Amino acid sequence: MGLSLDTTEKRALWLLLRYAVYILLLFLLYLALVYVILPQKWPFSRNRLMEYMQLTLLTLLSAALGINALIFARTRKLLLLLMSFSMIAIVREVGKILDKYIPVLGWKAVFLLVAPLILILMQLRNGQKLRKQISKFIPSQAMAIFLMGIIIIIPLAQCIGDASYLRTAIGGEYIHAYETLFEESMELYGYVILLCGAFETMLFSWQFHKEEMMIRYGYFRQPKQESPGQ
């Protein structure tokens, strides 16, 4: 008798497969850092390969969320809100590049910040729809992956890459390069995890859309009640 899986088991297996792919991506990133990126001439300095990789990942993240927002109207406000935050991160990376190559026009980074902030305010206008989408998103796998990426990028990368923290930890042997090494490496890992979260968000949006359509279909297809005389 063959082994048959019920719906719950199939979903768990599909989720486990996705997690395995995400872990594989992070392992491939490790191999790229060790054997491809690090052998180059200190790629962690400003306006070098590491920053361009981070900018590319953030651009892909924003594009993925924006495309999903166009496809899945029922989670559009949530997706645009997430895209706005990713755009703010892009502004941070772009600002570093503009400071060197176009120092006179570095103010453009501040100008670019206006667009995502306006987008955030637009999503807050209809709070009821946004609250509904967020309440469904919070217990999802996508939220868990996004949260993991944010934890790596903000508390861990900024703490371990902090100059005062490193001086206290290694005393007189502190080297400024350590700060950049830790901060940029962890940010890169965090951005890859956020990109995985974007894929999970696409699956979440598809499921949300399907459930909403089932509710709507059930509402319009309710069976007619028979009259008392029948």
Side-chain angles (χ1 to χ4, degrees):
M1 185 174 182
L3 178 64
S4 60
L5 300 176
D6 58 24
T7 303
T8 302
E9 291 172 329
K10 288 179 179 178
R11 288 178 178 174
L13 185 61
W14 169 228
L15 179 61
L16 182 63
L17 178 62
R18 299 201 305 270
Y19 286 164
V21 172
Y22 302 152
I23 293 173
L24 177 62
L25 285 176
L26 294 174
F27 181 70
L28 291 176
L29 177 60
Y30 159 75
L31 295 177
L33 282 171
V34 173
Y35 297 106
V36 179
I37 299 174
L38 279 177
Q40 299 185 26
K41 182 182 177 182
W42 194 240
F44 296 95
S45 58
R46 282 183 175 271
N47 303 297
R48 295 300 295 270
L49 177 61
M50 185 63 70
E51 285 191 354
Y52 289 113
M53 289 179 64
Q54 293 173 350
L55 182 59
T56 300
L57 289 172
L58 286 172
T59 302
L60 289 174
L61 174 64
S62 292
L65 293 170
I67 292 171
N68 287 334
L70 293 174
I71 297 173
F72 303 106
R74 296 182 181 276
T75 52
R76 182 166 295 156
K77 296 184 75 66
L78 170 68
L79 291 164
L80 289 177
L81 186 65
L82 294 173
M83 187 183 74
S84 301
F85 290 122
S86 67
M87 290 172 63
I88 292 175
I90 288 176
V91 170
R92 176 175 173 267
E93 296 298 330
V94 169
K96 297 177 184 178
I97 298 172
L98 289 177
D99 287 341
K100 178 178 179 180
Y101 290 108
I102 331 175
V104 180
L105 301 178
W107 56 270
K108 282 188 175 180
V110 179
F111 174 77
L112 292 172
L113 189 62
V114 175
L117 289 178
I118 291 176
L119 199 55
I120 290 175
L121 293 175
M122 289 176 61
Q123 306 320 307
L124 296 177
R125 289 177 60 187
N126 191 336
Q128 185 176 0
K129 285 186 178 180
L130 183 61
R131 284 197 302 270
K132 181 179 180 181
Q133 294 171 23
I134 290 177
S135 64
K136 290 278 191 176
F137 182 69
I138 288 175
S140 68
Q141 291 91 2
M143 176 64 184
I145 293 177
F146 264 111
L147 184 61
M148 180 172 60
I150 292 170
I151 289 173
I152 291 176
I153 293 168
I154 300 178
L156 292 180
Q158 302 306 316
C159 174
I160 297 179
D162 181 72
S164 301
Y165 179 88
L166 288 173
R167 288 192 185 96
T168 303
I170 60 180
E173 296 181 1
Y174 167 76
I175 301 176
H176 176 71
Y178 287 173
E179 175 187 355
T180 309
L181 171 65
F182 292 140
E183 181 179 352
E184 300 298 331
S185 296
M186 296 191 75
E187 283 185 354
L188 188 65
Y189 274 98
Y191 293 151
V192 171
I193 293 174
L194 289 182
L195 200 56
C196 297
F199 178 75
E200 284 294 320
T201 305
M202 180 193 70
L203 297 178
F204 161 80
S205 298
W206 177 78
Q207 183 65 28
F208 185 90
H209 175 80
K210 185 172 69 172
E211 291 175 359
E212 289 288 305
M213 292 302 294
M214 289 176 64
I215 293 172
R216 184 178 180 183
Y217 178 83
Y219 175 77
F220 285 107
R221 297 293 182 178
Q222 287 181 351
K224 296 181 179 180
Q225 295 182 354
E226 295 183 356
S227 61
Q230 292 181 339

